[in-house]
Amino acid sequence: MRIVALAGGVGAGKFLRGLQRIALDEGHDLTVIVNTADDIEMWGLHVSPDLDSVVYWLAGAMDRERGWGRAGETFHAREALEAGNMLPTWFAIGDRDLATHLFRTELLRKGWTLTAATASVALAFEIPWTILPMTDDRVTTMVRIRESDHLVHDVHFQDYWVRRRAEPEVRAVRFEGAVRARPAPGVLDAIGGADAVVICPSNPVVSIGPILAVPRVRDALWQRRDRAVGISPIVGGAVLAGMADRLMPVAGLEVSALGAATAYEGLLAGWVIDEADGDLAPKIEERLGIRVAVTETVMSDDEVAAAVARTALDLLG
Ligand code: FO1
C-alpha cells in the first residue's frame, strides 16, 4: 500500500513513529509531505523546522521532551554567539542540529533544490521513506499581531512563536508567497497514487494550512478524498502541544475535534478522535458526512502511536 502523510509539528512526529512501525511491519511505502512555511534564515542558515522534525522523529534522533532539535543536544555555539553579542540568539540552533543546517545550507548554496537537499538529509539519517517539502518555492507564514492600540503588524511565524512566546493577540495568519508556489516535484504524483492519505494530528492552521495553500495540492487531495483520513490534534477541547488553540479561532475554527475536522471539510473520508471527545462523534459524522473512530490518541509512546495509525488506516477499510 502507498501511504502519503501530510505533516508538521510535534503531533505529526509522534504519530509518524507509529505509522512508520506499521509501514515496516506490513511492507507499505511511505511518503511524507511536510510544511515548509515555518522556514526561516537564521545565522545565515536555512532552518526548516518541520522537515527536520520529521527526519529526527523517524530516525529516533528527536529530543522527545523538548519537542524540537536533537536528543542529547548542547548549545555551545549559541552560548558563544550570545557571549559575544554577535548574532540574535532568541532562536536556538543546537550544536548537533547545526550539522544538519550546515549540510542543507551548503547544498542549497550550490544550487540544489530543497527537495534534493531534503532527500540527502533523510539519507544521512538512514530514513527509508520519501520526505518531500510541500514546495521548493519560498512560502512564509506571517502572523498579524496586535501589540498595542497603535501597533498591529505582521511578523514571521517564528518571531511570534519563539521570540514573542505566542503572547501577543493574533489578528490574522497568511501564507506569503503561497499563490505563486508550485508543489515540489513528486508531491502531486504521490497524492494521486496514494492508497491512503493521512493528515497527521498537526495544527490545521499553520502546519497543514500552508500545504493546502500550495496551488493544486488541495485539488489533488480532493481527488483522493475517499482514501483520506485525519487524526484530531485537539483532545478534550485543548491542544497537547503548540498554539492551535490560539490560531484556530483566527481561522474561524472552533477549538474542538469537530472544529479541526471542519478545516478539512470535503477532503476526508474518516477522522480519528480521542476518547475524551467520544460524544462528538455522531455530530462530526452527521455534519461532515465522514466516518469517525474513537480511540486513545494521546501518544505517550510508539506503541500508542502505532495503534492510532492502525485505527486511522482501518477507517479506510
Ligand atoms: N522552538 C523554540 O521554542 N525555541 C527555539 O529556540 C527553537 C529553535 C529551533 C531550531 C531549529 C528547529 O528546527 C526548530 C526550533 N524550534 C524552536 C521549534 C520551532 O520553532 C517550532 O516549534 C516549529 O516551527 C513548529 O512546528
Side-chain angles (χ1 to χ4, degrees):
M1 186 158 80
R2 285 163 298 183
I3 305 173
V4 169
L6 307 191
V10 178
K14 287 188 177 175
F15 172 76
L16 287 170
R17 297 274 312 161
L19 190 60
Q20 157 167 269
R21 186 181 282 195
I22 287 179
L24 284 172
D25 285 354
E26 300 178 9
H28 303 310
D29 182 57
L30 176 61
T31 298
V32 189
I33 299 172
V34 186
N35 169 41
T36 56
D38 293 3
D39 289 19
I40 190 166
E41 181 155 319
M42 196 54 67
W43 307 349
L45 302 169
H46 183 108
V47 186
S48 255
D50 285 355
L51 282 171
D52 288 348
S53 166
V54 167
V55 168
Y56 293 165
W57 276 103
L58 288 176
M62 169 58 84
D63 185 318
R64 295 184 77 116
E65 283 297 299
R66 202 174 40 232
W68 56 270
R70 293 189 59 176
E73 192 59 283
T74 54
F75 289 89
H76 298 304
R78 182 207 192 182
E79 283 152 25
L81 289 168
E82 196 164 34
N85 205 13
M86 290 186 273
L87 286 171
T89 53
W90 56 266
F91 194 83
I93 304 174
D95 300 329
R96 289 175 178 218
D97 200 16
L98 265 177
T100 310
H101 286 87
L102 290 169
F103 182 47
R104 177 172 44 235
T105 307
E106 173 65 0
L107 294 178
L108 294 174
R109 198 188 58 79
K110 282 183 175 155
W112 289 40
T113 60
L114 186 58
T115 302
T118 301
S120 283
V121 171
L123 194 64
F125 282 84
E126 299 178 355
I127 308 275
W129 320 113
T130 306
I131 300 178
L132 298 173
M134 63 188 199
T135 179
D136 282 332
D137 299 319
R138 187 56 77 102
V139 176
T140 306
T141 297
M142 300 296 292
V143 184
R144 179 159 302 166
I145 55 171
R146 178 185 175 277
E147 298 207 275
S148 72
D149 283 349
H150 310 290
L151 187 56
V152 175
H153 63 144
D154 291 358
V155 296
H156 189 288
F157 169 77
Q158 300 295 351
D159 194 319
Y160 161 73
W161 172 239
V162 177
R163 190 178 186 182
R164 295 165 204 264
R165 298 167 199 278
E167 281 162 7
E169 180 192 327
V170 178
R171 287 290 173 85
V173 172
R174 67 187 169 87
F175 309 122
E176 200 168 88
V179 287
R180 290 181 311 279
R182 294 151 301 175
V187 165
L188 296 180
D189 285 348
I191 296 171
D195 301 300
V197 172
V198 184
I199 301 185
C200 292
S202 301
N203 185 320
V205 182
V206 291
S207 294
I208 305 297
I211 303 177
L212 301 182
V214 175
R216 296 163 66 202
V217 169
R218 181 182 279 273
D219 198 45
L221 289 167
W222 183 78
Q223 306 274 356
R224 302 304 295 147
R225 64 193 180 284
D226 292 344
R227 302 300 306 160
V229 63
I231 298 94
S232 176
I234 306 293
V235 173
V239 282
L240 297 170
M243 70 312 284
D245 52 338
R246 269 157 282 188
L247 300 185
M248 285 176 69
V250 176
L253 300 169
E254 178 187 290
V255 184
S256 70
L258 168 63
T262 310
Y264 309 122
E265 193 163 3
L267 299 179
L268 294 177
W271 187 239
V272 180
I273 64 173
D274 192 78
E275 286 159 349
D277 300 305
D279 54 342
L280 283 175
K283 200 168 165 186
I284 299 172
E285 288 186 329
E286 192 200 328
R287 285 251 187 108
L288 301 176
I290 59 178
R291 292 186 291 279
V292 173
V294 182
T295 190
E296 179 189 1
T297 65
V298 182
M299 293 173 283
S300 38
D301 57 35
D302 294 350
E303 207 78 44
V304 183
V308 176
R310 180 75 276 155
T311 304
L313 295 176
D314 285 351
L315 257 184
L316 295 174

